[in-house]
Amino acid sequence: QAAAGHDTLVWVVVAVLVGGAILLPSLGLLFRLTLTGRFQIAEAAPSEVATGRLRRGQPRLLARLAVACLIAGVGLLNFAGASWAHAVGVVCLFGFIVAAFLGVVSQSLRPEQG
């Protein structure tokens, strides 16, 4: 009696299949490129690209911005009752995604020191 209804189970199976259809080819491509060594060709270029664009404090600023957007988005979506607050919460969560991505990418493109 605790099992979900038939429609719910069907949608769960459909969601898992669609997720697998997206994830498995991506993982296959990633592993194939890694094993053939094609990622090694692009390793020299990022340091040249990043030299003029990165400043010392930018990754810290992006990390703080990402955390602030995450807290604001979760707070507005869970505790606010107005529809405009939910819209602002969704925008904050998208801002978190962008800021976190840029922070991670800028860290990986930073030229190694030492």
Side-chain angles (χ1 to χ4, degrees):
Q1 292 179 359
H6 182 269
D7 292 339
T8 304
L9 294 175
V10 167
W11 280 109
V12 167
V13 169
V14 168
V16 168
L17 290 176
V18 168
I22 293 171
L23 181 66
L24 292 176
S26 302
L27 284 175
L29 178 65
L30 175 68
F31 289 135
R32 186 176 60 181
L33 290 177
T34 303
L35 291 176
T36 59
R38 292 188 186 175
F39 283 133
Q40 294 175 355
I41 296 170
E43 285 181 4
S47 62
E48 296 171 5
V49 172
T51 328
R53 294 184 182 177
L54 291 178
R55 294 187 175 88
R56 272 185 91 82
Q58 187 178 10
R60 289 183 182 169
L61 176 66
L62 287 172
R64 290 178 183 169
L65 178 65
V67 170
C69 286
L70 178 64
I71 291 171
V74 169
L76 287 172
L77 284 175
N78 287 323
F79 301 117
S83 60
W84 65 268
H86 289 175
V88 171
V90 169
V91 169
C92 285
L93 288 180
F94 280 125
F96 161 71
I97 292 169
V98 169
F101 176 77
L102 291 176
V104 169
V105 167
S106 67
Q107 282 293 98
S108 66
L109 291 180
R110 173 172 273 177
E112 294 186 24
Q113 299 170 354

